[in-house]
Amino acid sequence: MEHYAHTVPDGRGGTNPDRTTWQPLTAHLANVAEAAAHALSGTGLSGIARLAGERHDLGKFSEAFQRRLNACASVGGEDASSEGDRVDHSTAGASQMILDLYARYGEHLFEVPTPQLAVAFAIAFHHGGLRDRESLRSRMAKEVDRRQSGEPTLLDLALAGGVPDRLRTIPALPLPTLVAERPSGDARLRAFEFAIRMVFSALSDADFLDTEAHMNPRASKSRLDVPDDALASLRRSVDDFLDRKTEKAPPTPVNEVRRKVLDACRTAATNPPGLFTLSVPTGGGKTLSSLAFALRHAESHGLQRIIVVIPYTSIIDQTASVYRTWLKESGIANAEEWLIEHHSNLAVERDTVLNRLASENWDAPLIVTTTVQLFESLHGRTSAACRKLHRLTRSVVILDEVQTLPPALLQNCLDVLGYLVRDYGSTVVLCTATQPAIVDDVKKPGGIEKIEGLATLTGRAPIEINTAHAEHYHILNRRVRFQWRDATGRAERWNWEDLVCRAAAHPRALLVVNTRRDSRALYERFAAKGLPARHLSALLCPQHRRDELHRIRVALASNDRCVVVSTQLVEAGVDLDFPIVFRAVTGLDSIAQAAGRCNREGRRAEPGEVIVFEPTEGSRTSPTVSLAAEVTREQLSEETEPNLDDPAVFIRYFRHFYSRQSTEAKGIRALRAELAYEEVSATFRLIDDSFIEPVVVRYRGIDEALAAFRDESRRVRDRLRSLQPFVVNAPRRVVEGLQAMGAIEEIEFGVRLCAERLVLGSGRTVYDSVLGLCMDVDAERDAGAALIG
């Protein structure tokens, strides 16, 4: 008899009973096996991925599963998408890998890396997401018990249903070199754990795409179709674009440095794939120069795609906008579609069907995403999180502003980057003006504990792309003059009143403080004095921040008065140019990044001023920011004045900074060695959201977003995504307080939405047009709140 993998919807919510339209099971298995193997070609995992693809739906040969499909057709009222939930069709293929080994080795087989165990993990969990080793052990134990009691196992039922002879035996496969070459113990188990992730990714994606092609050909045909020479075309066009841009640029010291950085990137691109650093002072043109390196490097070495990873959504729009300007001028048909943005801050007009489909698995030449999306996917467990992982192999990964990697998870981030470079043929570029100490090992006090740097993890020394970076720092740092100390040898100590009086004397100034509460309090001091100022912080939703940054740029370009009070979100890549910057004491890298917003283009006759000050009032900072400030103070006490021309200054800073805290704080390495996928996924969070709640605020464009959210014809994920530009993350205590006042209502899927016509006791609305979401819950509750008509 013919066995089928999938039916076909009839377009009316039921199943087409015509079996000639159904997908034969052998065809599905062959398609998935070929696609999964291709996805991991050149990695040493291709054979394992092929085997997983061949056997992932072995259970569909069972009489029970085929009966299920026939029932769908005869009843005609059920969508075949629920088939897998009704009949277990994954255990058979997984147990085929395990049962004979179990008879020989018992429970011990789950502790030892083998190709069969990798296949079993991928198959067993290819629908519901990777689970812990104990879950697989328990599932397989039930099959062992069935066999020992004489009851047919799910594998037996599949074999009895008619599994072809070629799928009844298991081919011999060696343990992949990328696992076998590791010393036995936890290091080998962690490499094995990551290899399982890659096999699971390749299988999940191949299965999804083949199923979609049969059951939803319209969506399948909507996916991005990119020619084989796409990267070569992009490389030629970006070279032409940058050459024109360079020719038009006026002959300033800043533009000369940018030209030299671009030349260095083009020259270094011929080096073999591996680990690179790109050290460029702020304003040195690394956004496009790093892309020029990546495209030329990928073309030279047959790599698959470019993935640009950015830490803050506040600057991701800026980078994507730069890329889109180039693509519009490229002359390549549909080139803008080749850029895929995968982040929560995506503007509605760019959230196209094509972008959404390609974001699922990163099947595009150029991806722009966030640090959170990348690393949480690399530590995730669900199919949605992991489908894209195999696209990281044989690709170029640019980590922009790499110094922002969170210290508590630093070792875990370095581990996975090390695997990509050492085992999966990828190139990783560490791109920043302030290189952190993550290349070499960092020993902690006592000499026992250490951070394993990327040189150790990859087995190779990094190549610095911009070999003349010290000279470039020296040239560009002339743009600003730092004031680190007052006459007493300490940083200036000012309260908010002092700071307002000094900043008010300047028509254009940037004031950067360490917390959202401080930025709000400082802005209110300006307002109380009747002094115009602007406010930027994460209390503004992404769309609001985007608009406010545009207004600031217009004001600066017009030489209008523009005093901005901001948190650190204005640093690290945001293209603003002020004549003077006031920065509250913090980490040395953040101070340098703030300085990058001062006289950025170097066009002023006199250097810009960067004044570092100690606030004498304000809210308490996080432990990480407090430690960063303390290390900066210590470095200031040891040096007459930090020489920011010397990149070694930042290495010293980061060595002290990292050595005084846990960089593997959550025990994730140990969990990975235990193949504890669920625990790793739950534990690894770049942003600790355990005390944070998202709130959808009412800002310009929210009505259209709410209409899209309420469109039940869209997938739930897409409906929720339409609200992302209007989300502010706030402390749970604040959200609960606002909800108790009636200032927030809960709508579908637990989404919290600001009340439309509620005025707080202070006279402000829940979401203020300048300050964003209200944080002063206690004060507002005491003053009262009232609905207005």
Side-chain angles (χ1 to χ4, degrees):
M1 61 175 284
E2 181 72 86
H3 296 82
Y4 297 100
H6 303 109
T7 59
V8 173
D10 64 4
R12 299 185 301 276
T15 297
N16 187 335
D18 181 3
R19 285 164 177 74
T20 63
T21 66
W22 294 9
Q23 184 180 33
L25 179 53
T26 52
H28 176 61
L29 296 178
N31 293 345
V32 173
E34 183 61 33
H38 177 74
L40 293 178
S41 60
T43 67
L45 296 175
S46 183
I48 292 175
R50 182 181 297 279
L51 183 58
E54 280 183 346
R55 313 299 167 93
H56 77 286
D57 276 354
L58 211 62
K60 289 187 177 182
F61 282 101
S62 71
E63 182 183 346
F65 187 87
Q66 294 301 310
R67 192 165 56 242
R68 164 71 182 140
L69 291 191
N70 288 324
C72 285
S74 60
V75 173
E78 296 184 71
D79 189 331
S81 64
S82 62
E83 295 157 8
D85 298 329
R86 303 295 182 89
V87 177
D88 181 342
H89 64 273
S90 59
T91 297
S95 63
Q96 187 186 40
M97 303 297 125
I98 296 296
L99 287 176
D100 289 343
L101 288 177
Y102 195 96
R104 280 185 283 173
Y105 301 112
E107 294 280 326
H108 184 60
L109 77 89
F110 294 100
E111 317 294 329
V112 180
T114 62
Q116 293 92 331
L117 185 58
V119 174
F121 260 103
I123 291 178
F125 304 126
H126 76 274
H127 277 301
L130 286 167
R131 299 189 65 185
D132 295 348
R133 177 169 57 191
E134 293 310 308
S135 295
L136 181 64
R137 192 197 305 266
S138 173
R139 196 160 158 184
M140 294 300 102
K142 291 177 182 177
E143 294 302 286
V144 171
D145 289 345
R146 287 191 177 106
R147 174 165 287 187
Q148 291 175 347
S149 67
E151 181 185 350
T153 65
L154 292 177
L155 175 61
D156 294 332
L157 295 174
L159 294 172
V163 173
D165 290 344
R166 64 183 178 80
L167 300 181
R168 290 173 177 262
T169 58
I170 303 172
L173 289 173
L175 186 66
T177 302
L178 58 84
V179 176
E181 69 181 5
R182 257 55 175 213
S184 59
D186 282 3
R188 178 177 290 187
L189 285 167
R190 289 196 300 270
F192 182 58
E193 188 260 13
F194 195 78
I196 291 173
R197 288 181 185 279
M198 284 297 184
V199 175
F200 173 72
S201 170
L203 173 61
S204 297
D205 194 38
D207 184 31
F208 185 96
L209 292 175
D210 190 64
T211 302
E212 179 187 71
H214 177 75
M215 297 190 70
N216 189 0
R218 185 173 182 178
S220 183
K221 290 174 182 176
S222 297
R223 289 186 178 274
L224 195 60
D225 185 19
V226 179
D228 293 339
D229 65 346
L231 287 177
S233 299
L234 291 176
R235 194 273 304 160
R236 290 191 293 270
S237 72
V238 83
D239 279 350
D240 290 344
F241 178 79
L242 287 170
D243 287 343
R244 293 194 303 271
K245 188 179 177 71
T246 301
E247 287 173 10
K248 293 178 183 176
T252 66
V254 173
N255 286 329
E256 179 61 17
V257 166
R258 290 171 179 165
R259 184 187 64 76
K260 289 180 178 179
V261 169
L262 175 59
D263 289 346
C265 286
R266 287 169 166 170
T267 300
T270 57
N271 284 292
L275 178 64
F276 293 80
T277 55
L278 177 55
S279 305
V280 179
T282 55
K286 60 182 171 60
T287 298
L288 282 170
S289 293
S290 60
L291 180 64
F293 164 84
L295 287 168
R296 188 171 290 235
H297 183 72
E299 181 187 15
S300 299
H301 302 289
L303 303 184
Q304 299 184 107
R305 63 188 44 80
I306 317 301
I307 300 160
V308 182
V309 185
I310 297 172
Y312 304 125
T313 55
S314 57
I315 59 173
I316 202 165
D317 277 330
Q318 177 180 286
T319 299
S321 176
V322 170
Y323 290 168
R324 289 190 185 281
T325 298
W326 148 56
L327 290 170
K328 282 178 183 176
E329 299 180 19
S330 68
I332 302 171
N334 303 317
E336 285 184 76
E337 295 179 352
W338 299 358
L339 168 62
I340 298 303
E341 296 182 60
H342 192 185
H343 56 90
S344 63
N345 198 21
L346 188 61
V348 174
E349 64 272 14
R350 299 209 295 273
D351 189 20
T352 63
V353 170
L354 192 149
N355 194 91
R356 289 198 297 273
L357 289 172
S359 293
E360 294 175 351
N361 66 349
W362 287 3
D363 188 11
L366 181 57
I367 309 290
V368 177
T369 191
T370 61
T371 307
V372 171
Q373 182 64 240
L374 174 71
F375 286 105
E376 291 194 357
S377 294
L378 284 164
H379 292 84
R381 56 167 290 272
T382 65
S383 297
C386 295
R387 271 183 63 193
K388 65 183 80 71
L389 297 188
H390 69 90
R391 306 285 181 183
L392 292 164
T393 67
R394 295 174 291 117
S395 296
V396 184
V397 180
I398 300 173
L399 284 170
D400 196 17
E401 308 298 354
V402 68
Q403 80 282 355
T404 60
L405 291 177
L409 295 167
L410 181 65
Q411 186 66 74
N412 312 118
C413 294
L414 300 185
D415 285 345
V416 293
L417 293 175
Y419 293 135
L420 291 176
V421 172
R422 179 170 174 165
D423 301 328
Y424 295 93
S426 300
T427 282
V428 169
V429 183
L430 310 176
C431 191
T432 180
T434 53
Q435 285 289 348
I438 60 174
V439 170
D440 297 322
D441 295 351
V442 175
K443 291 185 178 178
K444 298 193 173 184
I448 299 174
E449 221 186 329
K450 70 175 182 180
I451 302 169
E452 281 190 273
L454 283 170
T456 296
L457 294 169
T458 61
R460 63 190 80 182
I463 296 173
E464 171 56 55
I465 294 172
N466 184 26
T467 53
H469 59 278
E471 174 192 343
H472 298 161
Y473 279 84
H474 180 67
I475 293 170
L476 294 195
N477 282 345
R478 296 175 192 162
R479 294 174 294 179
V480 300
R481 178 173 58 245
F482 284 90
Q483 181 179 317
W484 297 96
R485 300 177 176 85
D486 62 13
T488 67
R490 301 173 64 185
E492 296 279 5
R493 295 178 63 80
W494 295 333
N495 60 26
W496 298 147
E497 192 73 18
D498 296 330
L499 184 54
V500 167
C501 290
R502 284 165 173 77
H506 302 274
R508 286 168 294 285
L510 173 64
L511 296 77
V512 186
V513 291
N514 290 322
T515 70
R516 299 189 294 189
R517 285 190 181 277
D518 286 357
S519 69
R520 185 183 184 111
L522 185 54
Y523 172 83
E524 287 177 335
R525 293 296 178 92
F526 277 95
K529 288 180 169 293
L531 297 171
R534 297 181 180 277
H535 169 258
L536 276 172
S537 82
L539 292 175
L540 277 57
C541 70
Q543 183 63 48
H544 194 167
R545 293 200 301 265
R546 185 185 296 124
D547 291 346
E548 190 61 23
L549 281 168
H550 173 72
R551 287 189 282 265
I552 290 168
R553 290 188 178 104
V554 169
L556 290 172
S558 304
N559 281 327
D560 294 340
R561 182 173 181 82
C562 186
V563 176
V564 177
V565 178
S566 178
T567 59
Q568 66 270 23
L569 70 77
V570 80
E571 298 168 347
V574 178
D575 289 344
L576 297 176
D577 194 342
F578 288 87
I580 187 167
V581 172
F582 299 86
R583 184 54 167 104
V585 170
T586 185
L588 195 62
D589 62 314
S590 291
I591 293 172
Q593 293 290 347
R597 308 321 115 196
C598 184
N599 195 18
R600 186 175 180 84
E601 296 298 322
R603 292 173 182 157
R604 293 178 171 84
E606 296 295 322
E609 287 187 85
V610 178
I611 300 174
V612 181
F613 67 95
E614 289 271 13
T616 59
E617 61 179 304
S619 58
R620 183 165 44 181
T621 59
S622 69
T624 301
V625 173
S626 296
L627 176 59
E630 183 181 336
V631 173
T632 298
R633 292 185 194 100
E634 291 173 1
Q635 201 156 340
L636 284 173
S637 69
E638 295 168 2
E639 303 175 16
T640 306
E641 182 173 306
N643 178 16
L644 301 190
D645 294 350
D646 182 6
V649 166
F650 298 109
I651 297 293
R652 284 198 299 275
Y653 163 78
F654 277 109
R655 281 184 174 276
H656 287 300
F657 181 55
Y658 292 149
S659 68
R660 290 164 60 175
Q661 58 190 308
S662 175
T663 52
E664 214 276 303
K666 300 183 179 180
I668 289 173
R669 272 188 153 189
L671 291 173
R672 292 185 52 233
E674 295 170 4
L675 309 185
Y677 292 99
E678 291 168 278
E679 289 190 71
V680 168
S681 178
T683 305
F684 187 96
R685 286 288 181 269
L686 282 187
I687 299 173
D688 185 359
D689 57 4
S690 55
F691 302 103
I692 296 294
E693 293 286 350
V695 178
V696 178
V697 301
R698 294 188 179 275
Y699 181 72
R700 183 182 63 82
I702 186 59
D703 290 340
E704 292 84 352
L706 285 171
F709 169 72
R710 289 169 176 145
D711 181 356
E712 294 183 359
S713 68
R714 307 177 76 206
R715 293 183 302 177
V716 172
R717 183 171 58 184
D718 294 336
R719 292 172 63 187
L720 290 169
R721 203 166 152 183
S722 65
L723 299 178
Q724 285 291 346
F726 305 94
V727 168
V728 173
N729 290 314
R732 183 169 297 155
R733 180 189 65 82
V734 170
V735 175
E736 290 173 349
L738 289 171
Q739 200 160 2
M741 295 163 58
I744 290 176
E745 59 180 319
E746 192 166 310
I747 56 177
E748 276 188 276
F749 309 117
V751 171
R752 290 176 172 85
L753 175 67
C754 282
E756 187 169 7
R757 295 185 300 276
L758 189 75
V759 172
L760 301 172
S762 63
R764 290 201 176 99
T765 52
V766 183
Y767 188 77
D768 188 82
S769 61
V770 175
L771 295 172
L773 186 68
C774 168
M775 291 281 281
D776 301 321
V777 175
D778 295 334
E780 297 289 359
R781 185 190 296 114
D782 293 341
L787 286 170
I788 61 173

